[in-house]
Amino acid sequence: MNILFLHGLAGEPNDWDTIKNQMERLGHLCLAPRIPYFAETYSTIEEPSKMVALSVDSNLINSDFIVVGNSLGCSIALRLGGSSRAMLLVAPHVVTSSHWIGRGEASFQRELGKIFFDPSLLDEERKKHYANLWLSFHRDRDSVSKIKKIKKAIANDNIYEGYINHQHKIHLILGEHDKISPQHLFNDIQANYPGVTTHEIRDCGHAIPIEAPGELCFLIKKMILDFEDHPSHSLPFA
């Protein structure tokens, strides 16, 4: 089974390393491309989706594969996963915020607390990554312009079309304490698209691949094993 991993707006390909390494040891072909969210000024989410599609080996997504996205990566997964066996949407980005972001350390820690259930567990390298990204949003005029553009693109994105078209193969994985994509935002999705299934990970926030890689990896393994036992199934667990 081939697996395509898609990181979120503030994420990196190595967010998936723990899961990707385990799946590769089991013999699965895995790819976690870098998504150039800040490399261009996008007017729609379709644009970075096309760039990712061009960067991925067509053999990987034209054969038997599943796509796993986190946060904004889920919006790209909905566009690239039409021919997949399944889409695992991990803490999908449903709404975006236009609130002002403060410059001080307290503001940084508050924003970090929206992403992670317990930011104190982050290693120094990851803290540095988020701190540098935070600073760029304030000090780099070009970065500020790009983040405004992509937030507008997110706000205008019609994610529900993907749920309508692919609900039979979509599984939502949600963090119990996610402050960016909390459970209640998905009530309408679950009510209107009964083919969509969900799983909640306890003691976890928005960055599930980093906070709960073991449980997420278990769910992926369980899905693949069920595919092997029952080839006609789309989604093996509810």
Side-chain angles (χ1 to χ4, degrees):
M1 181 73 69
N2 298 339
I3 308 171
L4 177 62
F5 295 100
L6 302 170
H7 66 81
L9 183 65
E12 297 184 301
N14 64 16
D15 291 353
W16 301 105
D17 279 359
T18 300
I19 300 168
K20 183 171 173 284
N21 291 341
Q22 286 193 47
M23 300 311 296
E24 287 176 336
R25 284 196 292 271
L26 293 173
H28 302 289
L29 176 63
C30 301
L31 181 65
R34 180 172 297 280
I35 303 174
Y37 292 116
F38 301 106
E40 304 287 343
T41 301
Y42 299 116
S43 57
T44 67
I45 298 301
E46 190 70 31
E47 294 171 62
S49 301
K50 288 179 179 178
M51 292 188 70
V52 172
L54 290 172
S55 70
V56 173
D57 184 343
S58 60
N59 291 323
L60 185 142
I61 57 175
N62 286 337
S63 57
D64 202 21
F65 82 106
I66 62 175
V67 58
V68 186
N70 177 222
S71 193
L72 187 54
C74 297
S75 296
I76 294 179
L78 285 168
R79 287 166 170 77
L80 301 184
S83 60
S84 68
R85 290 290 298 276
M87 302 181 199
L88 273 71
L89 305 185
V90 183
H93 200 123
V94 179
V95 296
T96 190
S97 170
S98 59
H99 73 278
W100 178 77
I101 299 176
R103 295 173 181 266
E105 177 67 18
S107 294
F108 171 64
Q109 293 299 330
R110 185 166 54 251
E111 292 298 321
L112 207 59
K114 292 180 180 179
I115 301 173
F116 297 95
F117 172 52
D118 187 354
S120 68
L121 299 178
L122 295 175
D123 59 40
E124 290 305 314
E125 183 178 352
R126 202 168 294 279
K127 286 180 182 177
K128 184 178 180 180
H129 161 71
Y130 282 98
N132 289 338
L133 192 62
W134 175 266
L135 286 174
S136 74
F137 291 161
H138 296 296
R139 296 179 178 177
D140 184 346
R141 185 173 297 177
D142 187 47
S143 294
V144 171
S145 174
K146 288 176 180 177
I147 192 69
K148 286 181 178 178
K149 285 281 189 180
I150 200 162
K151 279 194 171 188
K152 185 176 180 180
I154 296 168
N156 293 331
D157 187 36
N158 181 14
I159 62 167
Y160 296 102
E161 183 177 352
Y163 286 98
I164 293 170
N165 295 335
H166 306 302
Q167 60 176 296
H168 64 287
K169 64 174 69 176
I170 292 175
H171 185 76
L172 298 176
I173 300 177
L174 310 174
E176 179 186 15
H177 301 286
D178 192 332
K179 296 178 182 178
I180 296 175
S181 301
Q183 175 79 43
H184 72 83
L185 293 178
F186 298 93
N187 290 343
D188 287 344
I189 289 175
Q190 291 175 276
N192 294 325
Y193 313 120
V196 175
T197 60
T198 63
H199 179 90
E200 183 182 83
I201 296 182
R202 300 191 64 183
D203 299 327
C204 193
H206 189 67
I208 295 174
I210 299 170
E211 297 182 90
E215 188 165 350
L216 184 52
C217 191
F218 171 79
L219 293 172
I220 296 172
K221 290 177 184 176
K222 189 174 186 296
M223 172 175 283
I224 292 173
L225 285 173
D226 193 87
F227 282 150
E228 293 172 352
D229 293 339
H230 307 284
S232 63
H233 283 196
S234 291
L235 280 172
F237 53 94

